[in-house]
Amino acid sequence: MSEILAPYLKAVEYIRSKSNGVTPEIGVILGSGLGSLGEQIENPSIIPYNEIPGFPVSTAIGHKSRLIIGDLGGKKVVAMQGRFHFYEGYTMEQVTFPIRVLKLLGIKVLFVSNAAGGLNLSYRVGDLMVIKDQINMMPNPLIGPNAEEFGPRFPDMTHPYDVELRRLAFRLAREMGIHLQDGVYVACTGPSYETRAEYKFFRVIGSDAVGMSTVPEVIVARHCGLRVFGMSVITDLAREDMPDDYVTDGEEIVKAANQATSKMTALFEKMIAAI
Amino acid sequence: MDTLKSAASYVADFISGPMPEVGIVLGSGLGSLADSIENPQVLPYSKIPNFPVSTAVGHKGNFIIGTLSGKTVIAMQGRFHYYEGYPMTIVTMAVRVMFLLGVRTLFVSNAAGGINPEYHIGDLMIINDHISLQPNPLIGPNLDELGPRFPDMTRPYDPALIRKAREIANKLGWSLHEGVYFGDTGPSYETPSEYRFYRTVGGDVVGMSTIPEVIVARHCGMRVFGMSVVTNEASGDFAEDYQNDGEDVVKAADAAASKLTRIFKELIASL
């Protein structure tokens, strides 16, 4: 067994032993306040992260910290309720550890979701944004010796978000009467929220939404050849023209995410059924 | 947290008299404000447990505790920069120590390059916002005793103090810029293309400090006022033989330091 693969395979082995040997084909990462999709999964096997060898423990608010493996939209899926963030102090290797575990479990497609601040002036709280591209202001998770077992030294990022899955999302959303935005996600480390000047900076360079996650996971997923679909729930407005006493509030963001989660859950379920 | 508390209690034991309510961070070449502090008690950083030693040009390494404009203040003569190789926890440690001593208003100053083409050497700028390309100092487990996991940064620089500073400058007949401080790590100076980048995205001046301290100060709820002295013009069109020079920077900063001192003193008096 390769030394690089060993810790990942150990986690895979444990997860298989707790999920009746099910091989999921689709992985889903549920962001802050978006965990309720996990409750739709039928015949679930639930595995807390702290039991899985090699997994760190998530400390972010609005996150539950467990894997749910079961059936959704007629497919075998594995959902991450809670993820690991760079701002928590984890290394990028820890932040992206679960992605490689999911890959080795057998998934071919990864759905990622997050709560994000709307930079695009036409966005409103509660909007769903299909991620069309990303801008990375965090350290690259692939820095270090390349893990050839997973992918190439210099992975392509021309289309990190799968073109066909994006097309599918827009087609299904139209049928369901759900309005979708289509935009670029910029990722910062946090944990302090961005300043107004930073919002303007990110908008000037072409971003539509800003958050503190997702991009490391997507880079690692693309490195190992997974198809990726991403969605941001706009939970607050990242605007410069806020009153003097305006304060960005983490609890409010989780609340807004909870309210938009039913639309996102319904769309993810239909997409998974259609893949 | 224990490291912070032991450093704070060492400083508290050193201070005779009341604890400071105002903190001041003096940037490159701006250390002379410290000379205005009455009844100064000087504490070298090197004596404080777990404290690093500042290595930057134009920086000394002392806490000065005393009276300024009738308030008890603690000034940092010399700060710690990320480019010196310190982790962000060390760069920002002094601010947290000041908070634990009772400081609730922080004044920060720095020498910066003017990337707004209307800025000239010796100009003063009130910082009204910042853009950071430095690592965030709050990465890691949150110190809940000090502040929240996700601190707001909508207005890192206190709007009321900014208004007051403008009134003071108007009264004195001084024109001050008000703009955005763009922070990168250094220590190499920026390229002309980087200056253009920073200008395009909204920066007015560029420097290698201040932002980590401000983020940590806001995290624990301090009010912050910041000011930059423009010590070189970084607006993109350089002669082929132009070079940035550390000594020039220090000289230009000295010239503007007296104005900055006056504004800080009057603001502190108004608190």
Side-chain angles (χ1 to χ4, degrees):
Chain A
M1 192 201 295
S2 123
E3 233 173 82
I4 285 172
L5 288 181
Y8 299 100
L9 288 172
K10 218 169 146 193
V12 168
E13 193 186 341
Y14 182 83
I15 293 165
R16 287 221 173 103
S17 75
K18 293 288 174 182
S19 55
N20 312 313
V22 166
T23 297
E25 26 183 339
I26 292 166
V28 186
I29 302 179
L30 302 168
S32 310
L34 302 170
S36 67
L37 184 140
E39 325 305 337
Q40 309 294 319
I41 295 174
E42 291 161 27
N43 312 313
S45 304
I46 295 173
I47 312 167
Y49 293 158
N50 59 13
E51 289 181 4
I52 306 173
F55 263 55
V57 177
S58 171
T59 65
I61 52 175
H63 284 258
K64 278 188 180 156
S65 301
R66 57 191 199 174
L67 277 189
I68 304 179
I69 299 175
D71 299 298
L72 187 72
K75 302 275 194 320
K76 299 288 180 203
V77 303
V78 51
M80 289 180 64
Q81 249 178 353
R83 55 150 61 94
F84 306 103
H85 300 85
F86 189 66
Y87 64 70
E88 295 174 83
Y90 301 122
T91 62
M92 277 299 183
E93 201 180 339
Q94 291 176 302
V95 168
T96 59
F97 184 85
I99 307 303
R100 288 176 166 174
V101 170
L102 298 193
K103 163 76 180 179
L104 294 175
L105 265 180
I107 70 164
K108 302 283 185 284
V109 179
L110 181 68
F111 283 66
V112 291
S113 64
N114 57 59
L119 292 164
N120 186 309
L121 298 176
S122 69
Y123 288 6
R124 296 291 170 263
V125 169
D127 279 0
L128 298 180
M129 182 188 92
V130 176
I131 306 179
K132 107 176 130 187
D133 204 352
Q134 66 192 20
I135 295 176
N136 188 18
M137 305 291 290
M138 294 194 197
N140 192 300
L142 298 176
I143 290 173
N146 185 47
E148 295 290 338
E149 291 84 346
F150 287 106
R153 173 75 287 189
F154 303 109
D156 175 63
M157 287 288 146
T158 313
H159 293 290
Y161 297 90
D162 189 88
V163 177
E164 280 175 41
L165 291 174
R166 282 170 36 76
R167 213 172 281 141
L168 176 65
F170 281 101
R171 180 164 64 73
L172 292 175
R174 219 166 22 245
E175 290 168 13
M176 298 164 76
I178 294 174
H179 177 71
L180 296 179
Q181 307 284 6
D182 189 22
V184 175
Y185 178 88
V186 60
C188 305
T189 65
S192 49
Y193 287 111
E194 298 70 35
T195 66
R196 289 165 301 134
E198 285 163 345
Y199 289 151
K200 187 178 156 203
F201 164 25
F202 297 148
R203 196 177 300 122
V204 165
I205 62 173
S207 324
D208 297 290
V210 56
M212 304 176 190
S213 67
T214 303
V215 168
E217 296 150 353
V218 171
I219 291 174
V220 166
R222 292 300 300 146
H223 178 248
C224 63
L226 296 175
R227 296 171 68 197
V228 175
F229 178 77
M231 180 162 273
S232 294
V233 175
I234 305 302
T235 49
D236 65 311
L237 297 180
R239 303 275 293 266
E240 293 90 292
D241 52 355
M242 293 304 190
D244 269 10
D245 59 354
Y246 178 84
V247 170
T248 310
D249 178 344
E251 302 293 339
E252 287 296 315
I253 285 171
V254 170
K255 222 185 284 171
N258 282 329
Q259 285 166 5
T261 188
S262 62
K263 273 194 296 182
M264 191 192 82
T265 299
L267 181 61
F268 274 24
E269 200 171 342
K270 285 233 167 158
M271 286 181 72
I272 288 167
I275 286 173
Chain B
M1 202 64 214
D2 291 344
T3 317
L4 291 171
K5 281 179 177 163
S6 69
S9 80
Y10 182 90
V11 180
D13 289 345
F14 170 84
I15 297 171
S16 66
M19 288 297 132
E21 42 186 318
V22 175
I24 307 172
V25 184
L26 301 166
S28 308
L30 302 170
S32 64
L33 185 145
D35 301 336
S36 315
I37 295 174
E38 296 154 38
N39 309 316
Q41 306 170 57
V42 178
L43 176 61
Y45 298 148
S46 55
K47 293 203 171 158
I48 305 169
N50 308 314
F51 239 66
V53 177
S54 171
T55 67
V57 187
H59 283 259
K60 295 179 185 168
N62 302 309
F63 270 133
I64 301 176
I65 301 100
T67 310
L68 190 67
S69 307
K71 304 277 194 308
T72 305
V73 303
I74 177 164
M76 288 181 70
Q77 212 175 21
R79 57 148 64 96
F80 306 101
H81 302 83
Y82 187 68
Y83 63 71
E84 295 174 83
Y86 302 118
M88 280 296 184
T89 47
I90 294 293
V91 170
T92 57
M93 184 176 169
V95 173
R96 286 177 159 169
V97 166
M98 289 194 272
F99 175 75
L100 293 175
L101 290 172
V103 168
R104 294 296 177 266
T105 309
L106 184 70
F107 287 73
V108 292
S109 62
N110 56 59
I115 47 180
N116 183 324
E118 291 173 11
Y119 290 11
H120 300 292
I121 290 178
D123 284 359
L124 290 172
M125 183 191 90
I126 298 172
I127 306 175
N128 69 16
D129 207 349
H130 67 230
I131 297 173
S132 180
L133 283 190
Q134 303 184 5
N136 191 300
L138 300 176
I139 290 173
N142 186 48
L143 297 178
D144 293 329
E145 283 176 65
L146 295 177
R149 171 74 287 191
F150 302 110
D152 174 64
M153 287 292 147
T154 310
R155 290 218 166 34
Y157 302 88
D158 191 83
L161 289 174
I162 291 175
R163 275 193 296 272
K164 188 82 198 162
R166 296 177 76 164
E167 285 167 22
I168 292 165
N170 283 343
K171 188 190 71 189
L172 294 167
W174 295 346
S175 75
L176 298 182
H177 300 299
E178 189 177 322
V180 174
Y181 178 88
F182 194 108
D184 57 14
T185 65
S188 50
Y189 284 109
E190 298 70 28
T191 66
S193 297
E194 284 163 346
Y195 288 140
R196 209 171 297 121
F197 159 26
Y198 299 167
R199 179 66 194 139
T200 303
V201 302
D204 293 297
V205 301
V206 57
M208 305 173 188
S209 66
T210 304
I211 295 176
E213 296 148 352
V214 171
I215 290 175
V216 164
R218 293 298 301 145
H219 177 247
C220 59
M222 289 173 159
R223 296 171 74 193
V224 174
F225 178 78
M227 205 163 218
S228 294
V229 176
V230 178
T231 49
N232 63 324
E233 291 173 34
S235 53
D237 301 315
F238 297 105
E240 282 189 13
D241 59 354
Y242 180 90
Q243 286 192 350
N244 269 307
D245 179 337
E247 293 300 318
D248 274 358
V249 169
V250 174
K251 248 185 262 172
D254 276 344
S258 63
K259 279 188 174 177
L260 181 138
T261 299
R262 177 82 184 267
I263 290 167
F264 275 22
K265 277 165 85 171
E266 294 213 15
L267 271 177
I268 290 167
S270 79
L271 290 175

